[in-house]
Amino acid sequence: MPSHAQTQDRTPDPAADPLRRERDHLAASRAALRAMRHDVEALDISDVTGNWVNAKVLAAQIDDRIKALADLADTPLFFGRLDYLHAPGSELAEGASGESFYIGRRHVHDAEGDPMVIDWRAPVSQPFYRASRNDPMDVRLRRRFGYTGGELTAYEDEHLSDPTEAETSSKLLQSEIERPRVGPMRDIVATIQPEQDEIVRADMSGTVCVQGAPGTGKTAVGLHRVAYLLYAHRERLARTGTLVVGPNASFLRYIEQVLPALGELQVKQATVDDLVAHVPVRGRDSARAATVKGDARMAEVLRRAVRSGITMPTEPVVVVRGSRRWRVPAYELQEIVQELARRDIRYGAAREALPQRIAHAVLVQMERAGEAPDDRVQDAVARNSAVKAAVKACWPPVDPAKTVLRLLSDAEFLASCADGLLDAEEQRAVLWDKPARGLASARWSAADAVLVDEANDLVQRTSSLGHVVLDEAQDLSPMQYRAVGRRCSTGSATVLGDLAQGTTPWATSSWQEALDHLGKSGARVEELTRGFRVPREVIAYASRLLPEIAPGLAPATSVRESAGALSVRAVAEGELDAAVVRACREALDFEGSIGLIAADPRIPALAAALADAGLAHLAPGEETSAAARLTLVPASLAKGLEYDYVVLDDPAAIVAAEPDSRTGLRRLYVCLTRAVSGLAVLHAAPLPEALTWA
């Protein structure tokens, strides 16, 4: 694979200098992008809309378009080029006979409307990621570009249709993958691999679940899939909406710049706690209580609780209209209520339908008596005070939060709703130690909030989005899966996770089980096992834990081999803090980000040690700050994050901080696999047996 780099321009004739020609095209493309933005900024919409509301909406859309057309100086406008052979009219490159296409983050056209840069999501761009010597996809040449800052400094060619050219790995591709990571997560649009691209471009009609080992890029794949779907189905998703669900706020801050860098500004991000924030969370559950509250059986307990107030009518309803009295007997009312209850429609919808059903029974009597009532008469009967009173008596209104409050505070009510579902010990675990006197005094936990969300959906249907990306999904409880599933009940989802990284007591044991709870049992499961981020030595070391924490998973492989990427050092008791500080200082001699990861109880002591040593540090999610390159990371927040160099403090303490050894080893597996270039493990206590050197 020929590679070309140039540090200075000595050739005055651009036609004789390919690198100069590419730089000229970059300059012209940037000028065209500025012109596109200027055209949008110059739009006059003062007389376009009929009212101020439409004018405000249109102005917001134009403002978003202007932001999407921003030229980011340090972000390459294009990163590749495809030269097609001939194949005119082919499906992949229609009309692309002998043409060249520059592949970039967004579409750019010149004043005549001719493309200067093609969006990476366009069909004509797909061979940049998929073409190979075995299947060149009509591509004669694939060119990759190398940048320093925002300056194009090198290119690398693959002649895919030339059988005489030896196949070699791409140095520019490897360099981009290994580029130091400072600040928030970057997009991987220039380095998407064929197996990743298949998932990114999967059809939106179905849900995709990605089991991805550390470093395989599953999070980036999920985010780029959102960007692709917004390109391919923009009108539909503009109506129905998209959402990225992450495990915590620090993670969301870490990934928040990826989609805007790809020109997508309207994708919402939230945690599961954000989705179910119907009540203020001020309390905490024990692991046992949270596990029972997160169990799928609680859905039926809640359904019974919500419907517990339904009673069969024992008295007739008498409706007076003018001089006539219309009587609906109790047995007929019972049939109506029973029919609605059997249909199992949402409680609120059934309650709204009930007065109309009673009114219809009255209208049938009117018609039999020779009258000709219309819809207005039926609506009037449905609003009659006698009908309202009957509905209130047999199908009373339900407040979801109050229902859950009663369930968690009233042992008798819980026992009646949980009969045959939860045993006595489980019921005791669910009940609050100190029952609340009302909503204002309730100390809701995060698991309680999910129960309120379930009850809310039992009363009134939750609105569904067009597509939801659920990351770190292995840690969700069945009830949390249901909460997310409600947000995409009529849409699709991309589910991302790693069973080996499940660190909650209720972590899922299989993706099929998780997908069933999500309401997407027909989803296809894809597995990513080829790593691009974690060095081979590091992932091999961490994978020693797999037989104990996830015996069914194959160890990940890595395309990256970095000599000296891993060091494991034993430290004398009482000298650990000083040794950790020295390791951080040594890591700061190298370019890139440094993460000091430790058990949560160790964080205060390490923060003090860093401060005493004069080493400035950040908290997770603050990586956009230029004040420091060192981040002090509690082990509980490490999932999904990555750093060039990781200093791992005392693995035994990380394991001991969890409620059981298996969960602790899974947490340790997560922490061991956050490093991109180097990992230093320091320990005073003995290492877990699987990690001791043979």
Side-chain angles (χ1 to χ4, degrees):
M1 183 183 301
S3 181
H4 310 269
Q6 182 169 318
T7 58
Q8 57 181 338
D9 299 324
R10 296 180 178 177
T11 306
D13 180 12
D17 184 351
L19 188 59
R20 175 67 66 85
R21 289 202 305 272
E22 302 296 15
R23 286 173 172 171
D24 289 345
H25 187 79
L26 175 61
S29 299
R30 289 196 182 281
L33 181 60
R34 288 194 298 270
M36 290 170 62
R37 180 168 178 161
H38 176 73
D39 289 344
V40 178
E41 290 172 335
L43 289 174
D44 182 3
I45 61 171
S46 57
D47 297 323
V48 174
T49 57
N51 56 65
W52 69 270
V53 175
N54 290 341
K56 193 169 183 178
V57 171
L58 182 57
Q61 292 174 342
I62 290 175
D63 186 56
D64 286 344
R65 177 62 175 162
I66 292 170
K67 293 176 182 176
L69 290 172
D71 185 6
L72 306 177
D74 59 345
T75 302
L77 189 57
F78 57 78
F79 46 80
R81 194 183 95 187
L82 291 176
D83 292 0
Y84 281 92
L85 281 168
H86 34 71
S90 71
E91 182 180 355
L92 284 172
E94 187 172 352
S97 176
E99 292 187 71
S100 295
F101 294 90
Y102 288 83
I103 313 302
R105 285 170 171 77
R106 67 200 67 200
H107 175 84
V108 179
H109 60 257
D110 61 18
E112 285 71 40
D114 294 326
M116 300 190 71
V117 180
I118 300 293
D119 195 301
W120 66 276
R121 299 167 286 187
V124 76
S125 303
Q126 184 175 338
F128 184 78
Y129 303 107
R130 302 275 189 96
S132 65
R133 295 191 185 283
N134 293 331
D135 182 14
M137 301 175 74
D138 196 46
V139 173
R140 178 180 64 82
L141 178 143
R142 174 167 55 200
R143 174 169 288 180
R144 300 182 189 275
F145 296 107
Y147 288 82
T148 302
E151 183 71 19
L152 197 161
T153 56
Y155 68 90
E156 189 177 69
D157 288 342
E158 294 175 87
H159 297 87
L160 297 178
S161 300
D162 184 356
T164 65
E165 183 177 291
E167 185 171 3
T168 59
S169 60
S170 169
K171 294 180 180 179
L172 287 181
L173 183 64
Q174 190 75 10
S175 176
E176 174 62 22
I177 291 174
E178 296 180 356
R179 182 158 58 96
R181 286 153 168 74
V182 178
M185 183 180 181
R186 301 191 302 260
D187 65 68
I188 61 166
V189 66
T191 62
I192 295 173
Q193 300 299 294
E195 64 269 31
Q196 296 173 327
D197 191 63
E198 288 184 16
I199 297 170
V200 167
R201 297 177 192 263
D203 189 73
M204 194 178 82
S205 61
T207 289
V208 178
C209 176
V210 181
Q211 159 62 39
T216 55
K218 58 184 176 296
T219 295
V221 165
L223 295 174
H224 287 68
R225 176 158 166 71
V226 173
Y228 172 76
L229 293 176
L230 285 168
Y231 176 89
H233 307 279
R234 189 166 299 279
E235 288 189 11
R236 176 178 170 184
L237 290 178
R239 294 193 307 270
T240 56
T242 52
L243 174 68
V244 174
V245 181
N248 52 60
S250 296
F251 176 85
L252 293 179
R253 286 195 296 271
Y254 178 64
I255 68 170
E256 66 183 356
Q257 296 303 318
V258 173
L259 288 167
L262 299 173
E264 301 299 344
L265 307 173
Q266 300 302 316
V267 180
K268 297 180 179 178
Q269 297 183 349
T271 64
V272 174
D273 290 344
D274 294 332
L275 298 181
V276 301
H278 305 290
V279 293
V281 174
R282 298 195 296 263
R284 295 192 64 177
D285 283 317
S286 66
R288 177 57 177 160
T291 301
V292 177
K293 290 178 181 179
D295 193 286
R297 292 172 295 168
M298 287 301 298
E300 176 59 22
V301 175
L302 287 165
R303 193 193 73 83
R304 294 178 183 178
V306 166
R307 291 174 168 262
S308 62
I310 299 175
T311 57
M312 290 299 109
T314 57
E315 299 292 333
V317 169
V318 179
V319 176
V320 178
R321 284 185 58 81
S323 60
R324 303 293 300 269
R325 295 164 61 89
W326 307 97
R327 182 176 181 276
V328 181
Y331 76 86
E332 189 171 350
L333 294 174
Q334 291 175 5
E335 290 175 356
I336 294 172
V337 172
Q338 288 171 348
E339 192 271 335
L340 284 174
R342 279 196 304 270
R343 287 184 59 193
D344 203 30
I345 62 177
R346 281 173 171 76
Y347 188 92
R351 192 172 191 277
E352 292 175 0
L354 183 54
Q356 291 290 336
R357 296 293 181 88
I358 296 173
H360 177 73
V362 172
L363 261 64
V364 169
Q365 295 183 27
M366 289 181 174
E367 290 170 349
R368 288 173 181 167
E371 296 189 14
D374 56 17
D375 290 345
R376 290 175 297 176
V377 174
Q378 180 167 332
D379 289 340
V381 173
R383 295 192 300 268
N384 183 274
S385 58
V387 174
K388 287 182 177 180
V391 170
K392 185 176 182 180
C394 64
W395 209 290
V398 166
D399 182 299
K402 289 182 178 178
T403 301
V404 176
L405 179 67
R406 182 185 175 194
L407 196 67
L408 301 177
S409 302
D410 186 335
E412 291 185 6
F413 183 56
L414 175 61
S416 66
C417 296
D419 183 37
L421 296 171
L422 304 180
D423 61 30
E425 188 276 329
E426 290 172 322
Q427 292 179 34
R428 284 193 296 272
V430 166
L431 280 169
W432 286 348
D433 294 334
K434 296 180 180 179
R437 296 181 179 179
L439 292 177
S441 62
R443 293 187 60 82
W444 303 100
S445 69
D448 297 336
V450 178
L451 299 182
V452 175
D453 188 70
E454 178 84 23
N456 193 69
D457 185 72
L458 288 166
V459 175
Q460 191 72 36
R461 178 183 294 274
T462 303
S463 298
S464 174
L465 297 163
H467 192 79
V468 171
V469 173
L470 175 60
D471 205 354
E472 301 296 349
Q474 73 280 344
D475 279 331
L476 269 60
S477 70
M479 294 300 287
Q480 287 175 317
Y481 281 120
R482 291 174 61 88
V484 176
R486 288 191 281 276
R487 271 75 184 178
C488 55
S489 58
T490 60
S492 57
T494 301
V495 182
L496 312 166
D498 179 11
L499 297 178
Q501 296 186 57
T503 52
T504 55
W506 48 84
T508 189
S509 58
S510 76
W511 286 122
Q512 190 54 58
E513 177 186 343
L515 292 167
D516 289 344
H517 294 311
L518 193 69
K520 305 293 183 184
S521 56
R524 81 172 199 262
V525 179
E526 300 283 351
E527 189 169 4
L528 295 175
T529 59
R530 193 161 68 112
F532 307 96
R533 175 175 59 78
V534 184
R536 191 173 303 165
E537 297 85 347
V538 173
I539 195 65
Y541 184 64
S543 294
R544 295 182 180 193
L545 298 172
L546 286 179
E548 186 167 348
I549 64 175
L553 292 183
T557 60
S558 178
V559 300
R560 298 183 55 223
E561 186 168 3
S562 177
L566 173 67
S567 67
V568 180
R569 313 173 199 169
V571 178
E573 192 74 34
E575 298 181 8
L576 184 58
D577 290 2
V580 166
V581 170
R582 283 196 301 273
C584 291
R585 198 182 297 278
E586 292 169 3
L588 285 167
D589 290 337
F590 298 95
E591 185 181 5
S593 58
I594 298 95
L596 169 54
I597 304 178
D600 290 32
R602 286 274 293 152
I603 294 300
L606 291 175
L610 292 173
D612 291 343
L615 293 182
H617 64 275
L618 307 170
E622 296 178 348
E623 285 84 359
T624 54
S625 169
R629 291 190 290 123
L630 173 63
T631 304
L632 178 56
V633 187
S636 62
L637 296 182
K639 194 171 297 180
L641 305 180
E642 60 182 30
Y643 302 93
D644 285 288
Y645 293 90
V646 167
V647 177
L648 186 66
D649 171 81
D650 205 8
I654 293 174
V655 175
E658 299 298 327
D660 59 78
S661 61
R662 190 183 190 200
T663 303
L665 290 173
R666 285 184 168 185
R667 181 76 70 188
L668 178 57
Y669 178 78
V670 171
C671 297
L672 287 168
T673 54
R674 300 304 95 199
V676 175
S677 297
L679 169 65
V681 179
L682 288 85
H683 66 99
L687 291 170
E689 184 177 353
L691 298 182
T692 56
W693 293 102

